[in-house]
Amino acid sequence: MKKPFVTLEQLQEMTKTYPTPFHLYDEKGIRENARKLKAAFAWNPGFKEYFAVKATPNPTILKILHEEGCGTDCSSLTELMMADRCGFSGSEIMFSSNDTPAEEFVLAAKLGATINLDDFTHIDFLKDTIGYIPETISCRFNPGGTFSIGASEEGFQVMDNPGEAKYGFTREQLFEGFKKLKAMGAKHFGIHAFLASNTLSNEYYPTLSGILFQLAVDLKKETGCDIRFINLSGGVGVPYRPEQPANDIAAIGEGVRKQYEAILTPAGMGDVAIFTELGRFMLAPYGHLVTKATHFKHTYKEYVGVDACAANLMRPAMYGAYHHITVMGKENAPCDHKYDVTGSLCENNDKFAVDRMLPEIDLGDLLVIHDTGAHGFSMGYNYNGRLRSAEVLLKEDGSTELIRRAETPDDYFATLIW
């Protein structure tokens, strides 16, 4: 059973200051999780987590992670700007983009970020854009074909299809790319790959690391390039459903260590650093969307309307994704009522839950929608003129802090030319 990290009494007090809906984050949980990840890879002296800014682009959250030793993974101009303003600098920033505009490479280079190239043609584009090839450079690898392991968010076998993904170099392009970059002045190299999303398997990272470690050995042997780091990117998931088992990050780290000692160490590459770019794993469980029951509708189904909508959390509407819902104060009540939990958008897919068994809901009840700490607020939008909600931090001492105010109509109209 999923339990909220906040009590009804706490939420009732918060709503006196912060009208629903709002996104709430748990500082204590975020810090503890970051420390668990760091401990799991402590065997690798160069280990660093580069938090995927796209998951939760909030300065307060980024500063908390910075204090815990994390860097940032950025994929756009504004994410680079945010990382810079939050105090990240140089090698604390990884820039992984695709179909990249020139101005983004310019800023990444200016900030001293490690640039992770997505395509062979970007080698010349980068050189033409900034006038040189950085001494440290990374390339994204796409092995093609299909990749299968473990369980996905919905509990099925993960069967991702890298061959259909728009990202990365082929193996042949990667070897040629390393040779070309070395000839153009690059001295230190990294390898990056992402093969599957939100895996619920302790075997994903070890399996991926085995592929990348052997690739690194082959690259060094054929190209002579100095490979300094291997970036396992993201893909370690979280259990959105209460019956799903959580990943064991300590077991995952140990699995990667075994691959490292079996492949890299014997090849004389025991000084290679391991990087990760986790977003969902780092933040999703430590965010709630807090909303209030505002309407009921009794037609062919039983509907409960809430004051949040897909503009606040679009994953259920976009992917049919499951997010657990707790009716606060009724945690121990029987789930004997079937509801569709809906928002107010003029779209039929604006539903947080379909045919969900929940306790009987009364008007004014506060609902917590779980696991919204990543890809929750960040995917918000203004369809139907709906305004994005506030973000609030539940601090370690139990107090709260507004870390992003709610949008107003003035914000919505600010960019219009009348």
Side-chain angles (χ1 to χ4, degrees), residues 39 45 58 71 94 121 140 161 175 182-183 197 201 212 284 310 356 362 397 402:
N58 184 287
M94 183 76 61
T121 64
R140 185 168 184 170
N161 192 351
F175 279 76
K182 185 179 181 183
S197 179
S201 169
L212 295 185
R356 185 74 59 85
D362 296 304
D397 64 6
L402 183 68

Side-chain angles (χ1 to χ4, degrees), residues 303 317 340 342 345-351 354:
Y303 296 94
D340 281 15
T342 73
L345 293 187
C346 295
E347 293 290 340
N348 196 46
N349 66 352
D350 182 20
K351 298 178 179 180
V354 176

